[in-house]
Amino acid sequence: MKTLSALIVAATVFAAQPVIAQESPAVAAAKVSADAWLKRVDTADYAGSWETSAASMRSEMSKSSWKMLITALHWPLGDFKSRKFKSAVLQKAPAGKPGPDQVIIDYVSQYENKADVKETVTTTLEKDNSWKVSGFNING
């Protein structure tokens, strides 16, 4: 009976341990790209952020339009303070449908005038197999 009790306790303790998932190489590469892109935005290098974004983003918006939009979004927030990674999800292109794989990355950021700003960065796998930012959303 003691052996059975010990096994039950051991099984309970083992089952209660968190499972740490391995990050896929695709997600890791997408995060590196997103973080580098966000550093450009954080330092007001808006032209550089446009130039290093995905072809789809550059084709949808001119550099000058992007600079005006991102300035309007960031100006009320004030200076960037910090950012914390929250999650990343790999979205594979559906079988039989055209389109690249994407990784959706969520962060929570702190700014001078606003705390806990949710930022979502969408990265897209380009034809050259590099991950580039194709979308950016601020909810704060």
Side-chain angles (χ1 to χ4, degrees):
M1 188 66 174
K2 282 186 178 180
T3 304
L4 181 59
S5 294
L7 286 173
I8 291 172
V9 169
T12 303
V13 169
F14 180 72
Q17 296 299 314
V19 176
I20 300 172
Q22 292 277 330
E23 185 176 82
S24 76
V27 170
K31 281 173 52 180
V32 168
S33 178
D35 289 344
W37 186 88
L38 284 167
K39 283 184 184 179
R40 290 181 181 274
V41 171
D42 295 339
T43 59
D45 180 10
Y46 302 142
S49 68
W50 183 86
E51 290 163 359
T52 59
S53 65
S56 60
M57 187 169 158
R58 292 190 319 270
S59 70
E60 291 174 13
M61 184 177 300
S62 70
K63 187 188 301 187
S64 61
S65 294
W66 168 250
K67 287 168 63 176
M68 288 186 339
L69 175 65
I70 196 69
T71 300
L73 289 171
H74 265 239
W75 181 78
L77 298 172
D79 291 336
F80 169 77
K81 299 296 182 191
S82 66
R83 179 174 290 112
K84 186 175 181 181
F85 168 78
K86 294 309 270 180
S87 66
V89 177
L90 174 63
Q91 293 183 340
K92 300 289 267 176
K97 293 192 177 185
D101 293 347
Q102 294 186 322
V103 175
I104 313 302
I105 308 168
D106 288 321
Y107 300 88
V108 175
S109 300
Q110 309 300 316
Y111 287 88
E112 178 181 27
N113 300 331
K114 184 85 171 164
D116 299 327
V117 175
K118 181 183 177 194
E119 295 175 311
T120 301
V121 178
T122 302
T123 58
T124 299
L125 186 61
E126 297 279 273
K127 290 180 182 178
D128 66 357
N129 285 325
S130 66
W131 289 94
K132 296 207 173 161
V133 172
S134 58
F136 181 56
N137 189 26
I138 298 176
N139 291 315

